[in-house]
Amino acid sequence: MFLLILKRLGLGFITIFLVSVIIFTGVEVLPGDACTAYLEREAKGELLEICREQLGLNTPAIERYLSWSYNALYGDLGYSLSGEKPINEIISVRVRNSLILAVTAILIGIPLAIILGIVTALWRDKFPDIFISTFAIFSMTIPEFISATILILVVAIWLNWLPGIVIVSSNSTVLELLPNIILPVIAISMVMTAHMLRMVRSNIIQVMSSDYVQMAKLKGVPYWKMVFIHVLPNGLLPAINIIALTIAWLLGGVVVTEVVFNYPGLGRLVIESISDRDLPVVQALALILALIYVGVNLIADLLTLVVNPRLRTLQVRK
Amino acid sequence: MVNQNQISKLKRLSEIIISIFSRPSGMIGFSIVILHIIIAIISPLIVPYDYKEINSLIMLRPPSEEFIFGTDQLGRDVFTRTLMGGRVALLVTFFGTLIAVAWGGFVGIFCGLVGGKIDDIVMRIIDAFLAIPWILAMLLIVVILGTSTEVLIPALGFFYGKGIVRVARAATHDVIARDFIMAAKARGHSNFSIIWNELLPNVRDAVMVEGAMRWSWMLLAFSSLSFLGFGVSPPTPDWGLMISEGRGLMSFAYWSVIAPIVALSSLIIGINLSADAFAKALGIDRTQKAPV
């Protein structure tokens, strides 16, 4: 058990290490460097030399990678080119804003997905299932920017209930942000709920048709007792990993949603830093997003190990 | 000469096709996709106006007999642009999917077959690539290499192939322990021969379904890039770009966003329904698959 956990941690660490190498070499191999990318047409002669000198771009790549990753390990991500501020300072506010959005969406999305997943599985192919499943396919497949645009058009413009875009600055307090997050949260949790719901549904249907549930049925266990005691515990176990993967997958979708609503979170910072060709910030963001992805998956893996003793004796199933 | 083998192949193909079209979702899905492909091919011949002609006298006209979907902020016909708006997206994502299926399928089968150290190393690298959000990777590539189709096709194809590697590898693991693989190994066939003759026919179904799914995600990625201003450049008509251009004015000219929204959504839903029906016809359960 202890060894298994250590092994998982080790794998997570290796993934993060590889991500940092990929990002670094990616930025390195692509033509130009941080300075030519940022300075663009002015990038010649003295200005370029000064910029390179400041960023230490004249030293060999391996040396720069080592110092970058060493500093990142201790939480120092370097300086941004455009703001000339420490990247930590820029990112921490954005992380907070995005967390508010994500946590609210998760708190709404997960219980909703589990309840709807159970409902659709138990009433399989009946009216509630067909209705909810169809809606889920729509909200899952339609790109985030389209559902967000439709939400703004209907709720903000035609019905005039809520503000369509966020106009607060990134440093505003939580209370100032709160009324603005309603629409983005709806947009994000819609996609998330749809994904999880479908997988919870198919898990439960699978368990319902398993031998031991058939056995319980034949034994004459009352329906609801059977559902709550025999079906749900096993049917919901895989949901932990599904939730983790959905959250991780949403990291991409949140970027688009934040841009549509003009929400000052990590996602908009991604677009801003890329438009500004601010490669140090881009590097830092990629590292942070990868860290979230690996972290969420790791927690899910460990959680499954804790609640499902059967997995503990198996080898690492990768 | 038609031999027994070919007859059984044809029979299976016709069974799959009948099975797809006997489901309402498959019927609707495939009809939508085929309609979109036909429109994309013939649209330059049938559109009523020039897609790039700017006319300041007819800006933001509501839908009428003359312009059935209205006009946009530059006086261009929304109907014309909507019909043509899927051409680049379909072209790029179609060839991107082919590349993704080809390299992802091959690497996945190869890793599944040889196993050991090579497999471990490749899978760790794939894991690392999975941890980088698609949007960040695509944006970085596009910003530095440009947004031409020659860049987008291989970039999307490479980035979306990594998920196929896992599917192909898992499907290979399912058949690798069977006797006919052992027999081929015992006969002394090369790895390449085993992959081509023994594994590929068994893994193909799973990879094709996964490829159909990747197609819809790739389309989503492509149109998101256009929407964010990192995709095709104006005045090329593209749905993502049209929605982002019309978005600011939709409080009084909603028609310029509604048409591309319906077009893009219907195509993506169509592909998803088709992929689902296709999977069910082949007997593959893909609801368990995580959206990576």
Side-chain angles (χ1 to χ4, degrees):
Chain A
M1 173 78 185
F2 182 68
L3 260 177
L4 208 55
I5 292 177
L6 262 188
K7 226 169 181 179
R8 292 278 159 101
L9 280 173
L11 281 179
F13 186 77
I14 292 174
T15 308
I16 293 290
F17 166 72
L18 282 175
V19 167
S20 73
V21 173
I22 291 170
I23 296 163
F24 195 85
T25 37
V27 170
E28 202 65 30
V29 168
L30 296 169
D33 56 30
C35 284
T36 51
Y38 177 59
L39 293 168
E40 270 182 284
R41 255 164 276 133
E42 293 114 83
K44 51 177 185 250
E46 223 173 313
L47 207 55
L48 190 65
E49 276 313 307
I50 294 169
C51 175
R52 280 191 172 147
E53 198 67 46
Q54 276 181 349
L55 288 172
L57 285 181
N58 293 328
T59 49
I62 294 180
E63 218 167 282
R64 268 181 292 131
Y65 172 73
L66 287 178
S67 77
W68 176 65
S69 54
Y70 180 80
N71 288 334
L73 213 56
Y74 286 92
D76 176 17
L77 293 164
Y79 281 80
S80 86
L81 289 176
S82 49
E84 286 169 354
K85 276 196 288 188
I87 293 177
N88 287 1
E89 210 174 286
I90 307 172
I91 284 183
S92 57
V93 185
R94 299 302 188 101
V95 168
R96 186 205 64 176
N97 292 349
S98 281
L99 267 183
I100 297 173
L101 204 62
V103 170
T104 327
I106 289 168
L107 286 182
I108 296 171
I110 291 179
L112 197 66
I114 290 177
I115 293 170
L116 291 180
I118 294 171
V119 167
T120 50
L122 295 185
W123 280 273
R124 189 184 177 187
D125 294 334
K126 305 249 171 57
F127 174 73
D129 176 30
I130 293 171
F131 183 75
I132 296 170
S133 292
T134 311
F135 189 75
I137 289 185
F138 272 82
S139 83
M140 191 177 81
T141 49
I142 293 176
E144 290 87 358
F145 68 89
I146 287 190
S147 43
T149 307
I150 295 174
L151 271 179
I152 294 179
L153 184 62
V154 175
V155 179
I157 294 175
W158 285 349
L159 299 173
N160 215 351
W161 285 348
L162 291 164
I165 55 163
V166 183
I167 35 171
V168 289
S169 75
S170 57
N171 297 317
S172 46
T173 60
V174 177
L175 274 180
E176 280 176 309
L177 279 172
L178 272 185
N180 291 298
I181 66 169
I182 299 172
L183 280 185
V185 163
I186 294 175
I188 293 172
S189 48
M190 245 169 55
V191 190
M192 196 166 69
T193 309
H195 269 291
M196 290 190 289
L197 177 164
R198 265 166 64 93
M199 291 187 255
V200 169
R201 175 179 177 272
S202 81
N203 275 332
I204 290 180
I205 287 176
Q206 219 177 353
V207 175
M208 286 288 267
S209 61
S210 69
D211 289 342
Y212 74 92
V213 173
Q214 296 298 325
M215 178 71 197
K217 240 187 227 169
L218 292 175
K219 241 169 53 185
V221 178
Y223 184 73
W224 286 108
K225 199 178 162 202
M226 182 192 83
V227 167
F228 278 102
I229 294 179
H230 296 277
V231 177
L232 291 190
N234 269 319
L236 293 180
L237 261 185
I240 299 173
N241 274 313
I242 293 164
I243 289 168
L245 280 167
T246 312
I247 292 172
W249 176 77
L250 267 179
L251 290 175
V254 169
V255 173
V256 186
T257 315
E258 282 185 3
V259 173
V260 178
F261 289 106
N262 200 35
Y263 186 82
L266 267 188
R268 228 183 72 199
L269 186 62
V270 169
I271 302 293
E272 285 166 7
S273 60
I274 284 185
S275 307
D276 292 348
R277 310 282 200 280
D278 200 337
L279 293 182
V281 177
V282 175
Q283 262 179 14
L285 281 170
L287 198 63
I288 287 178
L289 292 176
L291 207 64
I292 297 174
Y293 176 92
V294 173
V296 168
N297 276 303
L298 198 67
I299 292 170
D301 272 357
L302 297 182
L303 217 59
T304 349
L305 279 181
V306 171
V307 292
N308 192 350
R310 280 173 301 179
L311 290 178
R312 286 179 209 157
T313 50
L314 295 177
Q315 285 291 309
V316 180
R317 303 174 312 148
K318 278 267 169 174
Chain B
M1 271 287 278
V2 183
N3 60 30
Q4 200 59 38
N5 198 5
Q6 276 171 319
I7 293 175
S8 71
K9 264 186 192 163
L10 276 177
K11 206 174 155 205
R12 180 160 183 268
L13 193 68
S14 63
E15 271 169 14
I16 291 171
I17 291 172
I18 291 168
S19 161
I20 287 172
F21 280 92
S22 63
R23 290 165 210 281
S25 64
M27 184 74 209
I28 298 170
F30 267 90
S31 312
I32 294 174
V33 174
I34 291 167
L35 183 72
H36 268 292
I37 292 173
I38 293 173
I39 290 178
I41 293 170
I42 63 167
S43 57
L45 305 171
I46 56 165
V47 291
Y49 298 96
D50 183 2
Y51 71 87
K52 58 181 190 298
E53 196 185 283
I54 296 169
N55 188 343
S56 57
L57 298 174
I58 49 166
M59 287 191 301
L60 296 172
R61 289 266 184 89
S64 61
E65 253 171 56
E66 197 182 351
F67 305 101
I68 52 174
F69 286 173
T71 60
D72 69 2
Q73 74 286 355
L74 295 173
R76 296 173 298 193
D77 179 36
V78 175
F79 180 65
T80 302
R81 293 179 62 78
T82 306
L83 281 189
M84 297 182 70
R87 303 189 80 210
V88 183
L90 272 170
L91 183 83
V92 167
T93 54
F94 181 76
F95 286 105
T97 310
L98 286 187
I99 293 177
V101 167
W103 89 261
F106 180 76
V107 171
I109 295 174
F110 183 75
C111 285
L113 178 66
V114 296
K117 278 253 156 51
I118 299 176
D119 181 40
D120 270 349
I121 293 171
V122 173
M123 288 324 284
R124 287 289 83 73
I125 295 174
I126 297 285
D127 274 352
F129 270 109
L130 284 172
I132 304 173
W134 57 268
I135 192 135
L136 198 75
M138 292 312 301
L139 284 173
L140 206 57
I141 292 173
V142 158
V143 158
I144 300 184
L145 293 179
T147 58
S148 60
T149 45
E150 300 89 67
V151 173
L152 280 172
I153 292 174
L156 283 166
F158 172 72
F159 204 74
Y160 279 78
K162 64 193 172 24
I164 295 178
V165 173
R166 299 199 119 192
V167 174
R169 181 170 168 271
T172 307
H173 279 170
D174 285 345
V175 293
I176 196 91
R178 301 259 200 88
D179 290 342
F180 61 90
I181 307 284
M182 295 293 184
K185 273 184 186 163
R187 285 200 302 272
H189 284 207
S190 66
N191 272 349
F192 180 77
S193 156
I194 295 178
I195 289 177
W196 191 256
N197 295 317
E198 317 289 339
L199 287 171
L200 199 60
N202 287 291
V203 174
R204 196 181 46 207
D205 288 355
V207 170
M208 263 161 50
V209 168
E210 191 60 25
M213 230 39 235
R214 298 282 145 180
W215 186 17
S216 89
W217 287 336
M218 220 182 260
L219 200 61
L220 194 150
F222 179 85
S223 51
S224 298
L225 282 179
S226 295
F227 178 81
L228 294 172
F230 293 93
V232 292
S233 39
T236 313
D238 180 83
W239 296 325
L241 194 64
M242 287 169 75
I243 295 168
S244 102
E245 284 174 347
R247 201 165 58 100
L249 300 159
M250 68 183 173
S251 51
F252 47 88
Y254 58 88
W255 53 85
S256 63
V257 290
I258 295 285
I261 280 180
V262 171
L264 179 55
S265 311
S266 66
L267 177 56
I268 291 186
I269 289 171
I271 294 177
N272 270 282
L273 290 177
S274 312
D276 268 354
F278 191 42
K280 278 179 189 148
L282 293 171
I284 295 168
D285 176 27
R286 49 158 307 280
T287 42
Q288 289 291 322
K289 294 273 153 52
V292 200

